[in-house]
Amino acid sequence: MKSPPGTTMVAALVHVLVAFSAASSAAAAGGGEQPLSKIGIHRTTFEIHPGASVDVSPLLLGLQGQDQEWVTIGYSSPKPSKDDWIGVFSPANFSDSICPAENQWVAPPLLCTAPIKFQYANYTSTDYVKTGQGSLRLQLINQRSDFSFALFSGGLSNPKLIARSDSITFVNPKAPVYPRLAQGKSWNEMTVTWTSGYSTKEATAFVEWGIQGQIQILSPAVTLTFSRNTMCGPPARTVGWRDPGFIHTGFLKDLWPNLKYTYRIGHRLFNGQIVWGHQYSFKASPYPGEDSLQRVVIFGDMGKAEIDGSNEYNDFERGSINTTYQLVKDLKNIDMVMHIGDICYANGYLSQWDQFTAQVEPIASTVPYMVASGNHERDWPGSGSFYGNIDSGGECGVPAQNMFYVPAENREQFWYSTDYGMFRFCVANTELDWRPGTEQYKFIEHCFSSVDRQKQPWLIFLAHRVLGYSSATFYGEEGTTEEPMGRESLQSLWQKYRVDIAVYGHVHGYERTCPVYENVCVAKGSDKYSGAFTATTHVVVGGGGASLAEYTAGPRARWSHAQDLDYGFAKLTAFNHTTLLMEYKRSRDGRVHDSFTISRDYRDVLACGIDNCPSTTMAS
């Protein structure tokens, strides 16, 4: 049916406005812009040229069981330009795909599938513009479908399709891949979540697991997925949509503390055949309160970058490769990872969730990889977000809530507590209301009040947005040093329940405060704290990998003890019930740039401080 007059122009205008708004909102928090959003795929025209070509090899991937493999693309154009680029599409029949119009006024784009990655034709072939001949090496991951490659002219903003390749595929596109561990709802339960192309109509998902070297048992896995209709808006609902396949979670219960377990994910097809994933191992959690060495890494705002150099725009997320590398390098000295929001910055381009799970697989398959919700996972107007911006690109939390397991009572709410040995972690969701009287406020207080500090002396509050203290420029421009109503709502709880450290992301850098309460340093900023609790130390560690933010100019706030405008992550080490070490490490080299220790006895935990003890009487 012919589109009403002007609908193509309206569609383009809507796309531009959404992209501009998303870029502006992300830039405000130092988030940069999702590289795939630079491609005006909705404006693509077909100008197939008989003299242009794209060839790729090998045609069959994963012959040795690999889930990732490099391919070589050769291409030619009779009219080469420095703006020519190669797009990688999956499924391969991208030009035949159909997507619905957003509404009666906006026609669907000619191409309604964005590429999963792209690179300029002259990236490694510097003489491409002269010769019209070029080649690239790109890395592909198994993503449940075949792939094809297309050569475009006209740059990213006005793409003209001039040639496309034949399709290539992995041996088994549906294979179970990229397992990610997470703590269960009890300390002795581990969950493993993975992705495959097998629905419950084709196969039964399960985990084979057990103590290393002993008899292995089988546990069933639940299977979930989500549809385009569960997305809240574009691009997640339009050009960014890609079928997520099926997401499976197995629950490994009644684990023996500290023992090493092995596991394999698998699918039993209805013809009796079993399709196996790779074999992995993990160490079970310690008993709550156990006195042993326990190490937890915390960071926010990592995102994903491509090792082949594709999908780059303004160094959007290059730091994530270094962060990932440092964690993998030190994995033997890490017991758990807490990624506190802004997980992969898919921003509505769903193929990037697969890319991210592949990136962190060496970590997440070995230690619990716990996540929190950030603005780039959840926020969308009219979706119940506390903030009415469009940072999620129309995802409104759905991919995050499905791709990663968290031990929340309600995955939609995405707030939860988790115990690890001597630690109690209370993980908030800053994208839903946390103020007094709300359901989340009640959860936060219960998480603080229910911990036995004799067994778990280290109480840690985690949240994505800064509910405490930050010197970020964008907070300064708002006339504040935090999320409005953040610490005003929660500081009485931090103080009353003696929260040792509050950790945030959102600001892409590092900052540590003195022990601070009501905007005043209760104790002087130091590298060593001992004795009774004075106030909570607030740490911003949002330099996981996405483009860096800036700090306000001028005199530093009295509560700001240390700053570093670089990529990095925090590492908490509980040596025992009386000594806790926090280190901030730069991702570029893994070296410690800032650190402090807390030393205290149990009676110090009980001791009175400001606003955290009831009144007493000397009456007999």
Side-chain angles (χ1 to χ4, degrees), residues 143-430:
Q143 287 185 267
R144 303 172 305 283
S145 191
D146 52 3
F147 304 84
S148 63
F149 303 77
L151 177 62
F152 292 86
S153 63
L156 300 180
S157 56
N158 291 288
K160 299 176 179 61
L161 177 63
I162 61 175
R164 62 177 292 182
S165 74
D166 293 332
S167 64
I168 68 173
T169 186
F170 278 83
V171 172
N172 181 10
K174 293 184 175 184
V177 290
Y178 321 127
R180 41 254 185 216
L181 300 172
Q183 293 278 95
K185 290 185 178 180
S186 62
W187 69 270
N188 60 348
E189 178 183 57
M190 189 74 76
T191 68
V192 54
T193 299
W194 71 95
T195 309
S196 84
Y198 293 111
S199 72
T200 54
K201 296 179 181 179
E202 299 175 88
T204 300
F206 65 93
V207 185
E208 180 189 73
W209 62 284
I211 297 173
Q212 188 176 35
Q214 297 188 19
I215 296 175
Q216 307 290 287
I217 61 174
L218 301 182
S219 292
V222 298
T223 298
L224 301 171
T225 189
F226 53 92
S227 68
R228 187 197 299 265
N229 291 337
T230 58
M231 301 294 99
C232 291
R237 204 176 171 104
T238 54
V239 297
W241 169 257
R242 188 179 189 276
D243 192 308
F246 299 94
I247 302 154
H248 318 276
T249 300
F251 299 85
L252 318 184
K253 301 184 178 184
D254 298 325
L255 303 178
W256 289 67
N258 302 308
L259 290 189
K260 189 172 183 178
Y261 285 79
T262 57
Y263 72 96
R264 279 197 299 175
I265 52 179
H267 296 264
R268 184 185 297 276
L269 306 184
F270 292 150
N271 64 5
Q273 178 186 357
I274 295 180
V275 179
W276 291 105
H278 303 296
Q279 187 172 63
Y280 303 89
S281 63
F282 67 87
K283 180 183 175 184
S285 302
Y287 186 83
E290 179 184 304
D291 198 338
S292 61
L293 185 67
Q294 296 156 15
R295 302 148 301 184
V296 179
V297 165
I298 307 173
F299 59 85
D301 309 76
M302 184 162 77
K304 55 155 289 294
E306 300 287 352
I307 197 170
D308 57 23
S310 61
N311 287 22
E312 263 314 304
Y313 175 69
N314 286 352
D315 290 329
F316 178 45
E317 295 163 322
R318 293 297 292 171
S320 66
I321 291 179
N322 284 343
T323 301
T324 303
Y325 171 76
Q326 293 298 341
L327 298 186
V328 172
K329 183 180 177 182
D330 194 39
L331 200 54
K332 291 183 179 179
N333 300 308
I334 297 171
D335 297 308
M336 186 162 68
V337 169
M338 311 288 291
H339 187 160
I340 49 175
D342 284 7
I343 299 168
C344 71
Y345 291 90
N347 293 7
Y349 292 87
L350 270 66
S351 63
Q352 304 307 287
W353 282 98
D354 288 316
Q355 299 282 345
F356 180 79
T357 57
Q359 175 179 298
V360 300
E361 182 207 30
I363 307 164
S365 62
T366 306
V367 300
Y369 197 97
M370 313 301 295
V371 301
S373 182
N375 51 302
H376 285 279
E377 282 78 54
R378 181 63 181 84
D379 294 359
W380 191 259
S383 70
S385 300
F386 193 48
Y387 299 87
N389 59 50
I390 61 174
D391 290 354
S392 76
E395 293 180 8
C396 55
V398 174
Q401 293 160 18
N402 284 276
M403 296 293 286
F404 286 88
Y405 177 85
V406 296
E409 290 301 318
N410 184 336
R411 297 270 288 276
E412 170 69 23
Q413 294 172 330
F414 227 68
W415 59 67
Y416 62 94
S417 66
T418 189
D419 294 333
Y420 191 89
M422 294 174 284
F423 287 106
R424 160 67 61 89
F425 294 101
C426 299
V427 185
N429 181 354
T430 57

Side-chain angles (χ1 to χ4, degrees), residues 4-16:
T7 53
T8 302
M9 181 178 293
V10 173
L13 180 59
V14 169
H15 179 91
V16 170

Side-chain angles (χ1 to χ4, degrees), residues 2-130:
K2 187 176 180 180
S3 302
T7 53
T8 302
M9 181 178 293
V10 173
L13 180 59
V14 169
H15 179 91
V16 170
L17 288 175
V18 168
F20 175 76
S21 178
S24 301
S25 177
E33 185 176 352
Q34 164 56 248
L36 293 176
S37 71
K38 294 296 295 179
I39 300 174
I41 200 71
H42 61 291
R43 290 192 290 269
T44 301
T45 56
F46 294 94
E47 298 186 10
I48 301 296
H49 198 292
S53 66
V54 182
D55 297 296
V56 60
S57 65
L59 297 179
L60 191 59
L61 310 176
L63 290 171
Q64 306 298 320
Q66 311 98 306
D67 298 326
Q68 306 182 35
E69 191 160 347
W70 288 82
V71 298
T72 300
I73 306 103
Y75 42 90
S76 63
S77 171
K79 296 181 179 180
S81 164
K82 65 181 179 64
D83 294 327
D84 292 358
W85 57 279
I86 294 289
V88 184
F89 290 84
S90 180
N93 65 338
F94 63 94
S95 61
D96 300 324
S97 57
I98 298 173
C99 65
E102 267 293 290
N103 53 56
Q104 61 180 324
W105 303 284
V106 180
L110 188 60
L111 280 189
C112 61
T113 301
I116 62 172
K117 63 167 61 182
F118 71 93
Q119 185 54 273
Y120 283 99
N122 63 0
Y123 179 65
T124 53
S125 302
T126 54
D127 59 350
Y128 168 76
V129 175
K130 293 180 181 179

